[in-house]
Each structure stands twice: as structure tokens, then as C-alpha cells.
Coordinates of all heavy atoms in Angstrom, one line a residue:
G24 N 3.6 -2.4 -15.6 CA 3.3 -1.5 -14.6 C 4.6 -0.8 -14.1 O 5.6 -1.6 -13.9
V25 N 4.6 0.5 -13.8 CA 5.8 1.1 -13.3 C 5.5 1.9 -12.0 O 4.4 2.7 -11.9 CB 6.4 2.1 -14.3 CG1 7.6 2.7 -13.8 CG2 6.6 1.4 -15.6
E26 N 6.3 1.8 -11.0 CA 6.2 2.5 -9.7 C 7.4 3.2 -9.4 O 8.6 2.8 -9.8 CB 5.8 1.5 -8.6 CG 4.5 0.8 -8.7 CD 4.3 -0.1 -7.5 OE1 5.0 -1.2 -7.4 OE2 3.4 0.2 -6.7
S27 N 7.4 4.2 -8.5 CA 8.5 4.8 -7.9 C 9.1 4.0 -6.8 O 8.4 3.4 -6.1 CB 8.2 6.1 -7.4 OG 9.3 6.7 -6.6
E28 N 10.4 4.0 -6.7 CA 11.0 3.2 -5.6 C 10.6 3.7 -4.3 O 10.7 3.1 -3.2 CB 12.6 3.2 -5.7 CG 13.2 4.6 -5.6 CD 14.7 4.7 -5.5 OE1 15.3 3.5 -5.4 OE2 15.3 5.8 -5.6
R29 N 10.2 5.0 -4.1 CA 9.8 5.6 -2.9 C 8.4 5.2 -2.4 O 8.1 5.4 -1.3 CB 9.7 7.1 -3.1 CG 11.0 7.8 -3.4 CD 12.1 7.7 -2.4 NE 13.3 8.4 -2.7 CZ 13.5 9.6 -2.3 NH1 12.7 10.2 -1.6 NH2 14.7 10.2 -2.6
C30 N 7.7 4.5 -3.2 CA 6.4 3.9 -2.7 C 5.9 2.8 -3.7 O 4.9 2.9 -4.4 CB 5.3 5.0 -2.7 SG 3.8 4.5 -1.9
P31 N 6.6 1.6 -3.5 CA 6.3 0.5 -4.5 C 5.1 -0.3 -3.9 O 5.3 -1.6 -3.6 CB 7.6 -0.3 -4.5 CG 8.2 -0.1 -3.2 CD 7.8 1.3 -2.8
S32 N 4.0 0.2 -3.9 CA 2.8 -0.4 -3.1 C 2.3 -1.7 -3.8 O 1.9 -2.6 -3.3 CB 1.7 0.6 -2.9 OG 1.3 1.2 -4.1
F33 N 2.3 -1.7 -5.2 CA 1.8 -2.8 -5.9 C 2.8 -3.9 -5.9 O 2.4 -5.1 -5.7 CB 1.5 -2.4 -7.4 CG 0.5 -3.3 -8.0 CD1 -0.8 -2.8 -8.2 CD2 0.7 -4.6 -8.5 CE1 -1.8 -3.6 -8.8 CE2 -0.3 -5.3 -9.0 CZ -1.6 -4.9 -9.2
Y34 N 4.1 -3.6 -5.9 CA 5.1 -4.6 -5.8 C 4.9 -5.3 -4.4 O 5.0 -6.6 -4.3 CB 6.5 -3.9 -5.8 CG 7.6 -4.8 -5.5 CD1 8.1 -5.8 -6.4 CD2 8.2 -4.8 -4.2 CE1 9.2 -6.7 -6.0 CE2 9.3 -5.6 -3.9 CZ 9.7 -6.5 -4.8 OH 10.8 -7.3 -4.4
M35 N 4.7 -4.5 -3.3 CA 4.5 -5.1 -2.0 C 3.2 -5.9 -2.0 O 3.1 -6.9 -1.2 CB 4.5 -4.0 -1.0 CG 5.8 -3.2 -0.8 SD 7.3 -4.3 -0.5 CE 6.8 -4.9 1.2
A36 N 2.2 -5.5 -2.7 CA 0.9 -6.2 -2.7 C 1.0 -7.5 -3.3 O 0.5 -8.6 -2.9 CB -0.2 -5.3 -3.4
R37 N 1.9 -7.6 -4.3 CA 2.1 -8.9 -5.0 C 2.9 -9.8 -4.1 O 2.6 -11.1 -4.1 CB 2.9 -8.7 -6.3 CG 2.0 -8.3 -7.5 CD 2.7 -8.6 -8.8 NE 1.8 -8.7 -9.9 CZ 2.1 -8.9 -11.2 NH1 3.4 -8.8 -11.5 NH2 1.2 -9.0 -12.1
K38 N 3.9 -9.3 -3.3 CA 4.6 -10.1 -2.5 C 3.7 -10.7 -1.4 O 3.8 -11.8 -1.0 CB 5.7 -9.4 -1.8 CG 6.9 -9.0 -2.7 CD 8.1 -8.4 -1.9 CE 8.7 -9.4 -0.9 NZ 9.9 -8.8 -0.3
A39 N 2.7 -9.9 -0.9 CA 1.8 -10.3 0.2 C 0.6 -11.0 -0.3 O -0.2 -11.6 0.4 CB 1.3 -9.1 0.9
D40 N 0.4 -10.9 -1.7 CA -0.8 -11.5 -2.4 C -2.1 -10.9 -1.9 O -3.2 -11.4 -1.9 CB -0.9 -13.1 -2.1 CG -1.8 -13.7 -3.2 OD1 -1.9 -13.2 -4.2 OD2 -2.5 -14.6 -2.8
R41 N -1.9 -9.5 -1.5 CA -3.2 -8.8 -1.0 C -2.6 -7.4 -0.8 O -1.4 -7.1 -0.6 CB -3.7 -9.3 0.3 CG -2.8 -9.2 1.4 CD -3.4 -9.8 2.7 NE -4.4 -8.9 3.2 CZ -4.1 -7.9 4.0 NH1 -2.9 -7.7 4.3 NH2 -5.0 -7.2 4.5
P42 N -3.4 -6.4 -1.1 CA -3.0 -5.0 -0.8 C -2.4 -4.9 0.7 O -3.1 -5.3 1.6 CB -4.3 -4.2 -0.9 CG -5.1 -4.9 -1.9 CD -4.8 -6.4 -1.5
A43 N -1.2 -4.3 0.8 CA -0.6 -4.2 2.0 C 0.0 -2.8 2.1 O 0.5 -2.2 1.2 CB 0.6 -5.3 2.1
Y44 N 0.0 -2.4 3.4 CA 0.6 -1.0 3.7 C 2.1 -1.0 3.3 O 2.9 -1.8 3.6 CB 0.4 -0.7 5.1 CG 1.2 0.6 5.5 CD1 0.7 1.8 5.1 CD2 2.3 0.5 6.4 CE1 1.4 3.0 5.4 CE2 2.9 1.8 6.7 CZ 2.5 3.0 6.2 OH 3.2 4.1 6.5
T45 N 2.5 0.1 2.6 CA 3.8 0.3 2.2 C 4.3 1.7 2.6 O 3.6 2.7 2.3 CB 4.0 0.2 0.7 OG1 3.5 -1.0 0.2 CG2 5.5 0.4 0.2
P46 N 5.3 1.8 3.4 CA 5.8 3.2 3.8 C 6.1 4.1 2.6 O 6.7 3.7 1.6 CB 7.2 2.9 4.5 CG 7.0 1.4 5.0 CD 6.2 0.7 3.9
S47 N 5.7 5.2 2.6 CA 5.7 6.2 1.5 C 6.6 7.3 1.8 O 6.5 7.9 2.9 CB 4.3 6.8 1.1 OG 4.4 7.7 0.2
N48 N 7.7 7.6 1.0 CA 8.6 8.7 1.2 C 8.3 9.7 0.1 O 7.6 9.5 -1.0 CB 10.0 8.2 1.0 CG 10.3 7.2 2.0 OD1 10.2 7.4 3.3 ND2 10.8 6.0 1.6
S49 N 8.7 10.9 0.3 CA 8.5 12.0 -0.7 C 9.1 11.6 -2.0 O 10.2 11.0 -2.1 CB 9.2 13.4 -0.2 OG 10.5 13.1 0.0
T50 N 8.4 11.9 -3.1 CA 8.8 11.5 -4.4 C 8.4 12.5 -5.4 O 7.4 13.2 -5.4 CB 8.2 10.1 -4.7 OG1 8.4 9.8 -6.2 CG2 6.7 10.1 -4.5
L51 N 9.2 12.5 -6.6 CA 8.8 13.4 -7.7 C 7.5 12.9 -8.3 O 6.8 13.7 -8.9 CB 9.9 13.3 -8.8 CG 11.3 13.9 -8.4 CD1 12.3 13.6 -9.5 CD2 11.2 15.4 -8.1
A52 N 7.2 11.6 -8.2 CA 6.0 11.1 -8.7 C 4.9 11.1 -7.6 O 4.4 10.0 -7.2 CB 6.2 9.7 -9.2
D53 N 4.6 12.3 -7.1 CA 3.7 12.4 -5.9 C 2.3 11.8 -6.2 O 1.6 11.3 -5.3 CB 3.6 13.8 -5.4 CG 3.1 14.7 -6.4 OD1 3.3 14.5 -7.7 OD2 2.5 15.7 -6.2
G54 N 1.9 11.8 -7.4 CA 0.6 11.2 -7.8 C 0.6 9.7 -7.7 O -0.5 9.1 -7.7
L55 N 1.7 9.1 -7.5 CA 1.8 7.6 -7.3 C 2.0 7.2 -5.9 O 2.1 6.0 -5.6 CB 2.9 7.0 -8.2 CG 2.9 7.3 -9.7 CD1 3.9 6.5 -10.5 CD2 1.5 7.0 -10.4
A56 N 2.1 8.2 -5.0 CA 2.5 7.9 -3.6 C 1.2 7.4 -2.9 O 0.7 8.1 -2.0 CB 3.1 9.1 -3.0
V57 N 0.7 6.3 -3.2 CA -0.4 5.7 -2.5 C 0.1 4.5 -1.7 O 0.4 3.4 -2.4 CB -1.6 5.3 -3.5 CG1 -2.7 4.7 -2.7 CG2 -2.0 6.5 -4.4
P58 N 0.2 4.5 -0.4 CA 0.8 3.5 0.4 C 0.2 2.1 0.3 O 0.7 1.1 0.6 CB 0.9 4.0 1.7 CG 0.8 5.5 1.5 CD -0.1 5.7 0.5
M59 N -1.1 2.1 -0.1 CA -1.8 0.8 -0.3 C -2.7 0.8 -1.5 O -3.5 1.7 -1.6 CB -2.5 0.5 1.0 CG -3.0 -1.1 0.9 SD -3.7 -1.6 2.5 CE -5.3 -0.8 2.4
V60 N -2.5 -0.1 -2.4 CA -3.3 -0.2 -3.6 C -4.7 -0.5 -3.3 O -5.0 -1.2 -2.2 CB -2.7 -1.1 -4.6 CG1 -1.4 -0.7 -5.2 CG2 -2.7 -2.5 -4.1
G61 N -5.6 -0.1 -4.1 CA -7.1 -0.4 -3.8 C -7.4 -1.9 -3.9 O -6.8 -2.7 -4.7
Y62 N -8.4 -2.3 -3.1 CA -8.8 -3.7 -3.1 C -9.4 -4.1 -4.5 O -9.0 -5.2 -5.1 CB -9.8 -4.0 -2.1 CG -9.3 -3.6 -0.6 CD1 -10.0 -2.8 0.2 CD2 -8.2 -4.4 -0.2 CE1 -9.5 -2.5 1.5 CE2 -7.7 -4.0 1.1 CZ -8.4 -3.2 2.0 OH -7.9 -2.9 3.2
N63 N -10.3 -3.3 -5.0 CA -10.9 -3.7 -6.3 C -9.9 -3.6 -7.4 O -9.9 -4.4 -8.3 CB -12.0 -2.7 -6.5 CG -13.1 -2.7 -5.5 OD1 -13.4 -3.7 -4.8 ND2 -13.7 -1.5 -5.2

């Protein structure tokens, strides 16, 4: 899996072992700028 450094929401979810809010900054990969991954 690959994320932008501007919004590494899955990386943060793995650290927390659950979807967790991640601050999102403007990014070229705007389609990936989801501050919290889905529960499902």
C-alpha cells in the first residue's frame, strides 16, 4: 500500500490499531487525502 506523506491515514490507523484521525494537508494526490480510513 502507498500513501502520500501529506495524509498517511492508514499508517496512523496501523499504529493505533484502529482507524484514527490524521491531519490532512494539501497534496498532489488529492484523491488519497482521506484523514481517516474506513472501518470496514
Side-chain angles (χ1 to χ4, degrees):
V25 185
E26 297 181 289
S27 165
E28 64 173 348
R29 298 296 185 93
C30 188
S32 54
F33 208 101
Y34 171 79
M35 297 303 294
R37 274 195 159 179
K38 286 186 68 174
D40 199 32
R41 59 183 289 274
Y44 171 69
T45 304
S47 176
N48 300 302
S49 60
T50 169
L51 295 176
D53 58 328
L55 305 185
V57 180
M59 192 169 75
V60 298
Y62 299 125
N63 302 327

